[in-house]
Amino acid sequence: MDAFSVVPPIAAILGAAVTKRIIPSLVVGLLAGAVIKSGGNPLTGAVIAGEYLSRVVADENHAYIILFLFGFGALAEMFKVGGGISGFAKAVDPYVQSEKGALLSVLLVTPVTFLDCCFHVISTGTISRPLLDKTGGSKEKLAFIINTTSSQLIVLIPFATTYLGYILGVTGSAMSQAGIAGSPYMYYLASLPFNFYSILMVVISLVSIFWSFNFSFFRLADPAYKKDLPEGDHDSHEAHEECAFAEKVPPRVANLLVPLALLLLMIIYLFWWTGQAKGANSLWNAMMNADYEKAIFTATLATIVFTAVIYGIQRIPMKELQSHFLSGGTEMLPPIVILIFAWAITGVTQDLGFNSFIGNFLANNFISRPLVPLVVFAVAGLASYFMGSSWGTWALVMPMALSLAATTDANVSLTIGAVLAGGSIGDNLSPLGETPVLTAAVTDLPLTIHVNYVLPYGVVAIALSSMLYLIAGFFYK
């Protein structure tokens, strides 16, 4: 039975590679595992699949993560009607007189737009693009900065992001499958220095603001080449209706800053409160033992209520707030569904004996401990590029990566960092990625031009990251 345990994840990965659709592929993987579990009976397999799905949804920690993701998406959408974004744009406009200033405005806004990748893209695009147009700067470079600070910087922020809740869900489930004890949040924190690709891309994007790089050998740097590039499946106007803000009140920066400050303070306080309730006698011990899922969801819920109240006082119609609450939460349904099916596949593969199979066959015959981080980074990178989904890649690769790490005695934090780094590649470089598509739309660029402009920077980061994972695999045990 152990050998059949690889069928569910392989079926899901192959399905995603062929169809470029992660959710149907996860369904196929789960059904395949459930049918194997049933002894080959399709009807019984369907019942077993339903049992696995209901079991993961009923889990308390899983439920908190699902509610947190929905609530965070709703909160980000509610911020769009508060006038905070237009208030920021109005405040910084008099101080921006050059291309460098317009590009730096993306970084200036990031501390209040890091909640969610799409929210950051739309917010920074709304603020920075008019500033860039005023200075006659490069839209290609602006799109590169927006893309990188969305898809790569946010994954490195260890609090108050939609990425965090999702990563904790994927990592916790994978740790359980691999028999790794400890806090998923602590392992995530320890993995941040090992997310080499994301760190390098952020550094490269920051350096590019001050110095230009010539990648003419890629036929990308010279504007004359742009006419030769095809438009691709997405044009620059495709998502404009989705990206436009519908702010209903005059520009008010406080409508964004005050709720955001409350959210961050509530998260920190609830980390401490839930940790000290377990008997921790210091702030650090309390933070280490916190109920992270419960704390983040509770802080999000409190901020939603507070935001609705202060917006209501300003006579923003409750109907408008409800509409944005529901639409924002609905936008998070794809990652929620992916996460639920990933949890279920993890459960069925574990019950089929995946851990022992990895230990007795793959780890002992193919991959030695020092090579695990490099192999994991390569597999995750290829999967994410062809799927265009970092979240889908993390869900598929993390369980296998941590099982491999456990059986080869590879460093767990380094392995998690490699999964997160490789999975981030698609959402940065792939024409199928949500971030490149949305970034091209808000900056009014053809998708192919944007992706081809970012590609050489990404190739450099991939090459350097591969060398770092090879080196780290030998030195970190």
Side-chain angles (χ1 to χ4, degrees):
M1 182 70 75
D2 287 357
F4 289 106
S5 65
V6 300
V7 172
I10 288 178
I13 291 173
L14 290 178
V18 172
T19 66
K20 306 295 189 295
R21 296 291 182 269
I22 182 64
I23 293 177
S25 303
L26 289 170
V27 173
V28 171
L30 175 60
L31 288 175
V35 170
I36 294 172
K37 181 76 173 172
S38 72
N41 187 315
L43 182 59
T44 305
V47 173
I48 292 175
E51 291 174 350
Y52 275 103
L53 289 171
S54 62
R55 195 180 307 160
V56 298
V57 173
D59 181 270
E60 182 180 2
N61 288 332
H62 292 172
Y64 275 125
I65 291 172
I66 292 170
L67 292 171
F68 158 73
L69 288 172
F70 185 94
F72 231 62
L75 181 62
E77 190 71 18
M78 289 172 64
F79 282 159
K80 294 180 181 181
V81 297
I85 300 302
S86 58
F88 248 103
K90 185 176 180 180
V92 303
D93 182 75
Y95 303 100
V96 176
Q97 304 298 330
S98 65
E99 178 191 68
K100 185 185 298 184
L103 297 176
L104 287 172
S105 69
V106 176
L107 304 180
L108 177 65
V109 178
T110 297
V112 294
T113 60
F114 66 89
L115 305 179
D116 176 70
C117 179
C118 294
F119 179 62
H120 177 75
V121 171
I122 298 172
S123 302
T124 54
T126 302
I127 292 172
S128 302
R129 184 184 163 193
L131 301 176
L132 188 82
D133 291 343
K134 183 179 74 171
T135 62
S138 167
K139 288 196 295 184
E140 291 86 348
K141 185 177 287 190
L142 175 64
F144 170 52
I145 303 300
I146 291 175
N147 180 331
T148 304
T149 54
S150 299
S151 61
Q152 305 308 309
L153 179 60
I154 293 177
V155 74
L156 299 172
I157 298 174
F159 52 85
T161 71
T162 51
Y163 277 67
L164 176 60
Y166 186 87
I167 290 170
L168 291 182
V170 168
T171 304
S173 178
M175 287 173 58
S176 175
Q177 173 178 313
I180 299 172
S183 163
Y185 185 67
M186 289 296 109
Y187 273 110
Y188 165 68
L189 288 180
S191 76
L192 292 180
F194 299 119
N195 190 339
F196 298 134
Y197 178 80
S198 294
I199 293 172
L200 286 168
M201 284 300 289
V202 171
V203 171
I204 291 172
S205 67
L206 294 179
V207 172
S208 72
I209 294 177
F210 301 94
W211 293 280
S212 296
F213 304 104
N214 186 358
F215 287 109
S216 57
F217 56 89
F218 274 91
R219 290 171 55 92
L220 303 175
D222 188 346
Y225 289 123
K226 294 173 187 174
K227 64 179 182 295
D228 299 327
L229 294 172
E231 281 283 315
D233 295 330
H234 304 273
D235 61 56
S236 60
H237 302 286
E238 183 174 312
H240 277 323
E241 289 187 6
E242 296 180 15
C243 300
F245 280 97
E247 296 182 326
K248 303 300 181 182
V249 297
R252 291 172 181 162
V253 178
N255 277 357
L256 182 60
L257 294 183
V258 174
L260 185 61
L262 173 67
L263 175 65
L264 297 179
L265 291 173
M266 284 285 294
I267 288 175
I268 294 171
Y269 172 76
L270 288 169
F271 277 0
W272 168 81
W273 187 76
T274 58
Q276 63 87 31
K278 297 180 180 180
N281 54 10
S282 69
L283 176 62
W284 176 247
N285 288 335
M287 298 288 281
M288 288 186 64
N289 290 281
D291 288 330
Y292 301 102
E293 298 88 352
K294 181 186 295 185
I296 294 173
F297 167 69
T298 304
T300 303
L301 180 60
T303 306
I304 289 173
V305 174
F306 175 79
T307 302
V309 170
I310 64 172
Y311 285 8
I313 293 173
Q314 298 171 54
R315 300 191 177 182
I316 298 177
M318 190 58 63
K319 180 180 179 181
E320 190 76 29
L321 291 175
Q322 177 179 288
S323 174
H324 280 76
F325 172 87
L326 293 175
S327 63
T330 301
E331 287 179 3
M332 296 304 297
L333 285 180
I336 288 173
V337 172
I338 290 172
L339 195 54
I340 290 172
F341 275 96
W343 283 329
I345 287 180
T346 296
V348 73
T349 55
Q350 185 175 8
D351 290 347
L352 290 174
F354 183 79
N355 289 351
S356 59
F357 177 76
I358 289 291
N360 296 329
F361 184 71
L362 290 179
N364 294 334
N365 293 280
F366 289 100
I367 304 175
S368 60
R369 178 189 60 78
L371 296 179
V372 168
L374 177 60
V375 170
V376 166
F377 174 67
V379 170
L382 288 172
S384 68
Y385 183 83
F386 289 108
M387 287 193 297
S389 170
S390 57
W391 295 40
T393 301
W394 295 334
L396 291 177
V397 178
M398 190 71 80
M400 290 186 290
L402 292 192
S403 292
L404 190 60
T407 54
T408 60
D409 200 29
N411 185 282
V412 174
S413 297
L414 177 58
T415 304
I416 293 173
V419 175
L420 297 179
S424 298
I425 290 174
D427 213 19
N428 188 212
L429 305 179
S430 174
L432 299 174
E434 180 181 46
T435 301
V437 171
L438 193 56
T439 301
V442 299
T443 54
D444 198 23
L445 279 174
L447 177 63
T448 47
I449 288 180
H450 169 55
V451 171
N452 287 331
Y453 186 90
V454 178
L455 180 62
Y457 299 98
V459 169
V460 171
I462 289 171
L464 291 175
S465 298
S466 299
M467 290 188 287
L468 289 172
Y469 283 119
L470 182 60
I471 296 170
F474 284 94
F475 285 95
Y476 286 93
K477 298 180 180 180

mmCIF file of all heavy atoms in Angstrom, residues 342-374:
data_model
loop_
_atom_site.group_PDB
_atom_site.id
_atom_site.type_symbol
_atom_site.label_atom_id
_atom_site.label_comp_id
_atom_site.label_asym_id
_atom_site.label_seq_id
_atom_site.Cartn_x
_atom_site.Cartn_y
_atom_site.Cartn_z
ATOM 1 N N ALA A 342 -5.952 20.470 -0.293
ATOM 2 C CA ALA A 342 -4.574 20.099 0.040
ATOM 3 C C ALA A 342 -4.512 19.399 1.391
ATOM 4 O O ALA A 342 -3.783 18.407 1.566
ATOM 5 C CB ALA A 342 -3.688 21.339 0.038
ATOM 6 N N TRP A 343 -5.254 19.916 2.367
ATOM 7 C CA TRP A 343 -5.319 19.253 3.672
ATOM 8 C C TRP A 343 -5.852 17.827 3.538
ATOM 9 O O TRP A 343 -5.325 16.898 4.146
ATOM 10 C CB TRP A 343 -6.232 20.035 4.608
ATOM 11 C CG TRP A 343 -5.631 21.269 5.195
ATOM 12 C CD1 TRP A 343 -4.316 21.489 5.492
ATOM 13 C CD2 TRP A 343 -6.334 22.462 5.582
ATOM 14 N NE1 TRP A 343 -4.160 22.748 6.037
ATOM 15 C CE2 TRP A 343 -5.366 23.365 6.105
ATOM 16 C CE3 TRP A 343 -7.661 22.861 5.546
ATOM 17 C CZ2 TRP A 343 -5.706 24.630 6.580
ATOM 18 C CZ3 TRP A 343 -8.002 24.115 6.021
ATOM 19 C CH2 TRP A 343 -7.037 24.996 6.526
ATOM 20 N N ALA A 344 -6.904 17.668 2.742
ATOM 21 C CA ALA A 344 -7.507 16.347 2.577
ATOM 22 C C ALA A 344 -6.540 15.379 1.890
ATOM 23 O O ALA A 344 -6.432 14.208 2.286
ATOM 24 C CB ALA A 344 -8.805 16.466 1.776
ATOM 25 N N ILE A 345 -5.821 15.865 0.853
ATOM 26 C CA ILE A 345 -4.855 15.003 0.173
ATOM 27 C C ILE A 345 -3.730 14.621 1.128
ATOM 28 O O ILE A 345 -3.252 13.474 1.121
ATOM 29 C CB ILE A 345 -4.294 15.715 -1.080
ATOM 30 C CG1 ILE A 345 -5.354 15.761 -2.180
ATOM 31 C CG2 ILE A 345 -3.035 15.014 -1.596
ATOM 32 C CD1 ILE A 345 -4.890 16.442 -3.450
ATOM 33 N N THR A 346 -3.304 15.558 1.948
ATOM 34 C CA THR A 346 -2.284 15.253 2.942
ATOM 35 C C THR A 346 -2.745 14.131 3.867
ATOM 36 O O THR A 346 -1.982 13.201 4.180
ATOM 37 C CB THR A 346 -1.957 16.504 3.769
ATOM 38 O OG1 THR A 346 -1.383 17.496 2.922
ATOM 39 C CG2 THR A 346 -0.968 16.173 4.887
ATOM 40 N N GLY A 347 -4.010 14.205 4.282
ATOM 41 C CA GLY A 347 -4.545 13.177 5.167
ATOM 42 C C GLY A 347 -4.579 11.800 4.528
ATOM 43 O O GLY A 347 -4.150 10.811 5.134
ATOM 44 N N VAL A 348 -5.046 11.723 3.290
ATOM 45 C CA VAL A 348 -5.165 10.414 2.640
ATOM 46 C C VAL A 348 -3.795 9.848 2.291
ATOM 47 O O VAL A 348 -3.574 8.635 2.416
ATOM 48 C CB VAL A 348 -6.080 10.509 1.394
ATOM 49 C CG1 VAL A 348 -5.403 11.218 0.234
ATOM 50 C CG2 VAL A 348 -6.525 9.114 0.950
ATOM 51 N N THR A 349 -2.850 10.677 1.870
ATOM 52 C CA THR A 349 -1.511 10.160 1.564
ATOM 53 C C THR A 349 -0.807 9.678 2.830
ATOM 54 O O THR A 349 -0.072 8.693 2.796
ATOM 55 C CB THR A 349 -0.651 11.237 0.874
ATOM 56 O OG1 THR A 349 -0.606 12.415 1.675
ATOM 57 C CG2 THR A 349 -1.189 11.578 -0.493
ATOM 58 N N GLN A 350 -1.051 10.371 3.932
ATOM 59 C CA GLN A 350 -0.463 9.942 5.205
ATOM 60 C C GLN A 350 -1.022 8.585 5.609
ATOM 61 O O GLN A 350 -0.279 7.695 6.042
ATOM 62 C CB GLN A 350 -0.743 10.974 6.282
ATOM 63 C CG GLN A 350 -0.079 10.672 7.618
ATOM 64 C CD GLN A 350 -0.294 11.792 8.623
ATOM 65 O OE1 GLN A 350 -1.051 12.715 8.381
ATOM 66 N NE2 GLN A 350 0.379 11.702 9.745
ATOM 67 N N ASP A 351 -2.331 8.418 5.457
ATOM 68 C CA ASP A 351 -2.960 7.146 5.824
ATOM 69 C C ASP A 351 -2.542 6.011 4.903
ATOM 70 O O ASP A 351 -2.588 4.835 5.290
ATOM 71 C CB ASP A 351 -4.481 7.298 5.802
ATOM 72 C CG ASP A 351 -5.002 8.166 6.939
ATOM 73 O OD1 ASP A 351 -4.223 8.435 7.877
ATOM 74 O OD2 ASP A 351 -6.162 8.604 6.870
ATOM 75 N N LEU A 352 -2.117 6.342 3.686
ATOM 76 C CA LEU A 352 -1.664 5.314 2.743
ATOM 77 C C LEU A 352 -0.201 4.938 2.952
ATOM 78 O O LEU A 352 0.311 4.048 2.268
ATOM 79 C CB LEU A 352 -1.877 5.793 1.301
ATOM 80 C CG LEU A 352 -3.320 5.886 0.811
ATOM 81 C CD1 LEU A 352 -3.384 6.521 -0.578
ATOM 82 C CD2 LEU A 352 -3.976 4.501 0.778
ATOM 83 N N GLY A 353 0.481 5.624 3.862
ATOM 84 C CA GLY A 353 1.863 5.257 4.174
ATOM 85 C C GLY A 353 2.910 6.043 3.419
ATOM 86 O O GLY A 353 3.999 5.537 3.135
ATOM 87 N N PHE A 354 2.607 7.288 3.122
ATOM 88 C CA PHE A 354 3.536 8.103 2.332
ATOM 89 C C PHE A 354 4.879 8.281 3.030
ATOM 90 O O PHE A 354 5.933 8.214 2.397
ATOM 91 C CB PHE A 354 2.901 9.478 2.064
ATOM 92 C CG PHE A 354 3.724 10.390 1.205
ATOM 93 C CD1 PHE A 354 3.739 10.229 -0.176
ATOM 94 C CD2 PHE A 354 4.476 11.401 1.754
ATOM 95 C CE1 PHE A 354 4.491 11.068 -0.976
ATOM 96 C CE2 PHE A 354 5.231 12.247 0.962
ATOM 97 C CZ PHE A 354 5.240 12.075 -0.408
ATOM 98 N N ASN A 355 4.874 8.504 4.343
ATOM 99 C CA ASN A 355 6.121 8.756 5.062
ATOM 100 C C ASN A 355 7.087 7.585 4.960
ATOM 101 O O ASN A 355 8.281 7.759 4.674
ATOM 102 C CB ASN A 355 5.843 9.055 6.533
ATOM 103 C CG ASN A 355 5.192 10.407 6.727
ATOM 104 O OD1 ASN A 355 5.099 11.197 5.812
ATOM 105 N ND2 ASN A 355 4.738 10.662 7.943
ATOM 106 N N SER A 356 6.595 6.395 5.206
ATOM 107 C CA SER A 356 7.484 5.236 5.159
ATOM 108 C C SER A 356 7.973 4.967 3.750
ATOM 109 O O SER A 356 9.112 4.530 3.548
ATOM 110 C CB SER A 356 6.758 4.002 5.716
ATOM 111 O OG SER A 356 5.590 3.728 4.963
ATOM 112 N N PHE A 357 7.141 5.248 2.750
ATOM 113 C CA PHE A 357 7.578 5.050 1.358
ATOM 114 C C PHE A 357 8.710 5.999 1.008
ATOM 115 O O PHE A 357 9.714 5.596 0.405
ATOM 116 C CB PHE A 357 6.405 5.258 0.399
ATOM 117 C CG PHE A 357 6.813 5.148 -1.048
ATOM 118 C CD1 PHE A 357 7.061 3.913 -1.616
ATOM 119 C CD2 PHE A 357 6.966 6.287 -1.820
ATOM 120 C CE1 PHE A 357 7.454 3.803 -2.946
ATOM 121 C CE2 PHE A 357 7.347 6.196 -3.152
ATOM 122 C CZ PHE A 357 7.595 4.949 -3.720
ATOM 123 N N ILE A 358 8.555 7.264 1.390
ATOM 124 C CA ILE A 358 9.613 8.242 1.119
ATOM 125 C C ILE A 358 10.910 7.816 1.803
ATOM 126 O O ILE A 358 12.003 7.866 1.218
ATOM 127 C CB ILE A 358 9.197 9.639 1.611
ATOM 128 C CG1 ILE A 358 8.083 10.210 0.723
ATOM 129 C CG2 ILE A 358 10.381 10.597 1.632
ATOM 130 C CD1 ILE A 358 8.528 10.572 -0.675
ATOM 131 N N GLY A 359 10.797 7.356 3.045
ATOM 132 C CA GLY A 359 11.992 6.980 3.792
ATOM 133 C C GLY A 359 12.671 5.746 3.236
ATOM 134 O O GLY A 359 13.903 5.693 3.161
ATOM 135 N N ASN A 360 11.875 4.753 2.826
ATOM 136 C CA ASN A 360 12.441 3.481 2.400
ATOM 137 C C ASN A 360 12.868 3.426 0.947
ATOM 138 O O ASN A 360 13.646 2.567 0.552
ATOM 139 C CB ASN A 360 11.422 2.357 2.644
ATOM 140 C CG ASN A 360 11.122 2.175 4.116
ATOM 141 O OD1 ASN A 360 11.983 2.409 4.963
ATOM 142 N ND2 ASN A 360 9.906 1.784 4.430
ATOM 143 N N PHE A 361 12.385 4.374 0.148
ATOM 144 C CA PHE A 361 12.688 4.289 -1.283
ATOM 145 C C PHE A 361 13.342 5.553 -1.819
ATOM 146 O O PHE A 361 14.523 5.570 -2.161
ATOM 147 C CB PHE A 361 11.405 4.004 -2.074
ATOM 148 C CG PHE A 361 11.655 3.798 -3.545
ATOM 149 C CD1 PHE A 361 12.282 2.658 -4.007
ATOM 150 C CD2 PHE A 361 11.255 4.758 -4.466
ATOM 151 C CE1 PHE A 361 12.521 2.474 -5.358
ATOM 152 C CE2 PHE A 361 11.490 4.588 -5.821
ATOM 153 C CZ PHE A 361 12.118 3.446 -6.266
ATOM 154 N N LEU A 362 12.580 6.654 -1.839
ATOM 155 C CA LEU A 362 13.106 7.868 -2.463
ATOM 156 C C LEU A 362 14.346 8.392 -1.743
ATOM 157 O O LEU A 362 15.388 8.638 -2.360
ATOM 158 C CB LEU A 362 12.023 8.950 -2.484
ATOM 159 C CG LEU A 362 10.850 8.701 -3.433
ATOM 160 C CD1 LEU A 362 9.856 9.841 -3.316
ATOM 161 C CD2 LEU A 362 11.326 8.574 -4.867
ATOM 162 N N ALA A 363 14.240 8.582 -0.434
ATOM 163 C CA ALA A 363 15.341 9.215 0.295
ATOM 164 C C ALA A 363 16.591 8.342 0.288
ATOM 165 O O ALA A 363 17.709 8.844 0.172
ATOM 166 C CB ALA A 363 14.913 9.497 1.732
ATOM 167 N N ASN A 364 16.419 7.019 0.400
ATOM 168 C CA ASN A 364 17.572 6.127 0.508
ATOM 169 C C ASN A 364 18.205 5.813 -0.837
ATOM 170 O O ASN A 364 19.345 5.343 -0.892
ATOM 171 C CB ASN A 364 17.156 4.817 1.195
ATOM 172 C CG ASN A 364 16.752 5.041 2.639
ATOM 173 O OD1 ASN A 364 17.202 5.985 3.265
ATOM 174 N ND2 ASN A 364 15.894 4.166 3.157
ATOM 175 N N ASN A 365 17.511 6.041 -1.914
ATOM 176 C CA ASN A 365 18.021 5.633 -3.213
ATOM 177 C C ASN A 365 18.333 6.774 -4.165
ATOM 178 O O ASN A 365 19.074 6.580 -5.129
ATOM 179 C CB ASN A 365 17.009 4.698 -3.895
ATOM 180 C CG ASN A 365 16.877 3.374 -3.169
ATOM 181 O OD1 ASN A 365 17.699 2.488 -3.327
ATOM 182 N ND2 ASN A 365 15.835 3.245 -2.355
ATOM 183 N N PHE A 366 17.779 7.948 -3.933
ATOM 184 C CA PHE A 366 17.920 9.003 -4.920
ATOM 185 C C PHE A 366 18.517 10.303 -4.374
ATOM 186 O O PHE A 366 19.393 10.877 -5.000
ATOM 187 C CB PHE A 366 16.547 9.323 -5.550
ATOM 188 C CG PHE A 366 16.045 8.229 -6.450
ATOM 189 C CD1 PHE A 366 15.097 7.336 -5.977
ATOM 190 C CD2 PHE A 366 16.524 8.087 -7.726
ATOM 191 C CE1 PHE A 366 14.632 6.327 -6.796
ATOM 192 C CE2 PHE A 366 16.070 7.069 -8.554
ATOM 193 C CZ PHE A 366 15.120 6.184 -8.092
ATOM 194 N N ILE A 367 18.064 10.773 -3.238
ATOM 195 C CA ILE A 367 18.410 12.120 -2.793
ATOM 196 C C ILE A 367 19.105 12.059 -1.438
ATOM 197 O O ILE A 367 18.552 11.529 -0.467
ATOM 198 C CB ILE A 367 17.151 12.998 -2.684
ATOM 199 C CG1 ILE A 367 16.409 13.027 -4.023
ATOM 200 C CG2 ILE A 367 17.520 14.422 -2.268
ATOM 201 C CD1 ILE A 367 15.095 13.764 -3.977
ATOM 202 N N SER A 368 20.299 12.625 -1.380
ATOM 203 C CA SER A 368 21.014 12.694 -0.118
ATOM 204 C C SER A 368 20.641 13.994 0.598
ATOM 205 O O SER A 368 20.132 14.934 -0.014
ATOM 206 C CB SER A 368 22.524 12.647 -0.347
ATOM 207 O OG SER A 368 22.940 13.741 -1.154
ATOM 208 N N ARG A 369 20.929 14.054 1.878
ATOM 209 C CA ARG A 369 20.529 15.197 2.698
ATOM 210 C C ARG A 369 20.978 16.544 2.147
ATOM 211 O O ARG A 369 20.173 17.484 2.076
ATOM 212 C CB ARG A 369 21.047 15.007 4.130
ATOM 213 C CG ARG A 369 20.728 16.182 5.049
ATOM 214 C CD ARG A 369 21.450 16.061 6.382
ATOM 215 N NE ARG A 369 22.888 16.026 6.226
ATOM 216 C CZ ARG A 369 23.642 17.095 5.990
ATOM 217 N NH1 ARG A 369 23.084 18.291 5.895
ATOM 218 N NH2 ARG A 369 24.938 16.971 5.856
ATOM 219 N N PRO A 370 22.238 16.728 1.742
ATOM 220 C CA PRO A 370 22.650 18.060 1.296
ATOM 221 C C PRO A 370 21.929 18.561 0.049
ATOM 222 O O PRO A 370 21.866 19.777 -0.189
ATOM 223 C CB PRO A 370 24.156 17.889 1.018
ATOM 224 C CG PRO A 370 24.557 16.693 1.819
ATOM 225 C CD PRO A 370 23.369 15.792 1.788
ATOM 226 N N LEU A 371 21.393 17.631 -0.746
ATOM 227 C CA LEU A 371 20.761 18.028 -2.006
ATOM 228 C C LEU A 371 19.275 18.334 -1.858
ATOM 229 O O LEU A 371 18.652 18.845 -2.793
ATOM 230 C CB LEU A 371 20.945 16.931 -3.057
ATOM 231 C CG LEU A 371 22.380 16.642 -3.493
ATOM 232 C CD1 LEU A 371 22.394 15.513 -4.517
ATOM 233 C CD2 LEU A 371 23.033 17.890 -4.072
ATOM 234 N N VAL A 372 18.705 18.021 -0.701
ATOM 235 C CA VAL A 372 17.263 18.199 -0.518
ATOM 236 C C VAL A 372 16.810 19.638 -0.780
ATOM 237 O O VAL A 372 15.859 19.864 -1.544
ATOM 238 C CB VAL A 372 16.821 17.730 0.884
ATOM 239 C CG1 VAL A 372 15.391 18.169 1.193
ATOM 240 C CG2 VAL A 372 16.922 16.215 0.976
ATOM 241 N N PRO A 373 17.434 20.670 -0.188
ATOM 242 C CA PRO A 373 16.948 22.040 -0.439
ATOM 243 C C PRO A 373 16.990 22.431 -1.913
ATOM 244 O O PRO A 373 16.046 23.049 -2.413
ATOM 245 C CB PRO A 373 17.910 22.907 0.388
ATOM 246 C CG PRO A 373 18.448 21.993 1.433
ATOM 247 C CD PRO A 373 18.539 20.653 0.777
ATOM 248 N N LEU A 374 18.068 22.077 -2.617
ATOM 249 C CA LEU A 374 18.184 22.422 -4.031
ATOM 250 C C LEU A 374 17.120 21.715 -4.858
ATOM 251 O O LEU A 374 16.480 22.326 -5.724
ATOM 252 C CB LEU A 374 19.575 22.060 -4.549
ATOM 253 C CG LEU A 374 19.821 22.308 -6.043
ATOM 254 C CD1 LEU A 374 19.646 23.781 -6.383
ATOM 255 C CD2 LEU A 374 21.212 21.810 -6.444
#
